[in-house]
């Protein structure tokens, strides 16, 4: 088993247990916020993406409406031209001229027809874009309302827990400084472990296994450890560390005893 050398082992163990209990309380408080911060962040990402998409749709609509206006102007000019040609047709002097004017007239009418078809096609596209615009805008409004709702909830929870968190952080700070003064190496080992582990559980108690007389388990990673360790931990004269996960190990009764004595 890996042990850590220090003086006044029992005092240090009590302090490390106290520090862990404070961290456990702080973590439990932070858990009350659940995944709300993450949910809000995800919704904000979706809202930004939707906003961009809506802006792109607006740019498309703007472009298409410009094209439609151009076609209308073009048709107005073509209709003027058509009227002039119709008048000219009345006063042609020969067949050749008649044929020329008539073919121009035909060409002009075909172009007007083609433009009208283009206008109708473009208007359909504008309608489709407007439909998508309305749908995405509605979804964006929904998401933004949801963000406001969740932010309000998070603010309420934060407000309720803020004072408790601050009080815990102060106690953690004071206790950390004390341990650091007593044994800075021990504190560094503990703190490094805490920072690297999920939920910051750098110190755990060993767990008894049903039906296993010869083994106990690390309460952090559940690696099996010799039963002898259980007895050694009750002696409280050495600091043991799990060989697998590096967590500090104490016996469960000791942990409970210290936790129960804390305000
Ligand atoms: Zn372990």
């Amino acid at each position: 088993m890996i042990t850590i050398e220090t003086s006044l082992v029992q005092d240090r163990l009590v302090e490390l247990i106290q520090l862990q209990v404070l961290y456990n309380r702080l973590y439990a408080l932070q858990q009350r916020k659940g995944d709300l911060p993450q949910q809000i962040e995800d919704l904000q990402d979706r809202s930004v993406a939707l906003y961009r998409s809506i802006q792109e749709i607006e740019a498309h609509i703007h472009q298409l409406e410009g094209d439609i206006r151009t076609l209308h102007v073009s048709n107005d000019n073509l209709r003027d031209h058509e009227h002039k040609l119709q008048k000219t047709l009345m006063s042609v002097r020969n067949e050749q001229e008649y044929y020329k004017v008539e073919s121009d007239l035909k060409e002009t009418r075909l172009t007007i027809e083609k433009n009208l078809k283009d206008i109708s096609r473009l208007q359909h596209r504008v309608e489709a874009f407007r439909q998508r615009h309305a749908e995405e805008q509605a979804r964006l409004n929904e998401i933004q309302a949801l963000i406001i709702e969740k932010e309000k909830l998070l603010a309420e929870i934060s407000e309720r827990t803020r004072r408790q968190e601050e009080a815990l952080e102060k106690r953690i700070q004071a206790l950390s400084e004390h341990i650091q003064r007593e044994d800075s190496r021990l504190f560094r080992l503990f703190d490094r472990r805490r920072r690297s582990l999920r939920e910051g559980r750098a110190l755990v108690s060993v767990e008894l296994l049903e039906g296993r007389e010869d083994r106990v388990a690390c309460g952090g990673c559940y690696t099996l450890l010799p039963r002898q360790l259980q007895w050694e931990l009750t002696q409280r004269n050495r600091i043991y560390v799990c060989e697998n996960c590096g967590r500090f190990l104490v016996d469960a009764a000791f942990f409970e005893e210290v936790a129960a004595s804390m305000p």
Side-chain angles (χ1 to χ4, degrees), residues 2 6 16 18 40 49 60 79 87 110 118 136 146 154 165 182 186 196 203 228 232 234:
I2 301 172
T6 187
L16 289 179
Q18 286 175 336
I40 291 169
H60 281 308
R79 282 196 188 99
K87 273 183 197 160
L110 278 173
D118 284 348
E136 294 197 2
L146 211 55
L154 182 61
E165 278 181 47
E182 296 297 327
L186 177 69
S196 69
L203 180 144
Q228 171 71 4
E232 277 163 4
T234 61

Side-chain angles (χ1 to χ4, degrees), residues 41-202:
E41 206 177 297
D42 291 346
L43 286 170
Q44 274 162 345
D45 288 348
R46 279 176 61 195
S47 126
V48 168
L50 267 175
Y51 182 72
R52 280 204 197 111
S53 165
I54 287 170
Q55 279 187 317
E56 275 171 27
I57 291 171
E58 281 169 1
H60 281 308
I61 291 175
H62 185 75
Q63 170 77 41
L64 289 170
E65 283 177 340
D67 292 348
I68 290 170
R69 265 197 307 279
T70 306
L71 287 169
H72 275 304
V73 169
S74 167
N75 265 8
D76 287 345
N77 293 334
L78 287 167
R79 282 196 188 99
D80 286 346
H81 188 57
E82 185 190 15
H83 283 304
K84 274 180 207 149
L85 289 173
Q86 276 170 328
K87 273 183 197 160
T88 312
L89 208 53
M90 312 274 197
S91 56
V92 285
R93 279 160 300 180
N94 55 47
E95 205 155 312
Q96 199 188 0
E97 214 175 304
Y98 181 88
Y99 179 76
K100 195 170 162 278
V101 174
E102 201 196 36
S103 83
D104 191 358
L105 192 57
K106 214 171 152 189
E107 188 66 30
T108 303
R109 286 174 175 154
L110 278 173
T111 310
I112 291 172
E113 276 307 303
K114 187 191 167 291
N115 283 352
L116 286 175
K117 275 186 195 150
D118 284 348
I119 288 169
S120 157
R121 186 173 52 80
L122 294 179
Q123 267 166 347
H124 277 110
R125 288 186 60 195
V126 168
E127 280 315 306
F129 273 125
R130 281 197 198 289
Q131 178 78 21
R132 259 184 65 193
H133 187 277
E135 285 165 8
E136 294 197 2
Q137 186 64 53
R139 217 178 313 148
L140 181 61
N141 292 346
E142 262 173 44
I143 288 174
Q144 279 171 344
L146 211 55
I147 289 174
I148 290 170
E149 197 182 296
K150 284 184 190 287
E151 275 177 342
K152 198 169 153 244
L153 187 61
L154 182 61
E156 281 168 12
I157 297 171
S158 298
E159 179 56 31
R160 273 204 303 274
T161 56
R162 192 176 51 87
R163 268 176 249 274
Q164 288 165 284
E165 278 181 47
E166 279 172 4
L168 278 170
E169 275 160 5
K170 257 187 208 158
R171 289 175 69 187
I172 285 170
Q173 175 79 14
L175 186 54
S176 297
E177 282 168 9
H178 171 77
I179 300 171
Q180 226 165 346
R181 275 195 303 273
E182 296 297 327
D183 187 339
S184 63
R185 181 177 157 271
L186 177 69
F187 178 77
R188 270 204 313 279
L189 284 171
F190 180 87
D191 206 49
R192 210 181 299 149
R193 242 359 11 231
R194 183 184 65 76
R195 287 172 197 279
S196 69
L197 290 165
R198 203 175 69 84
E199 301 179 15
R201 290 174 68 226

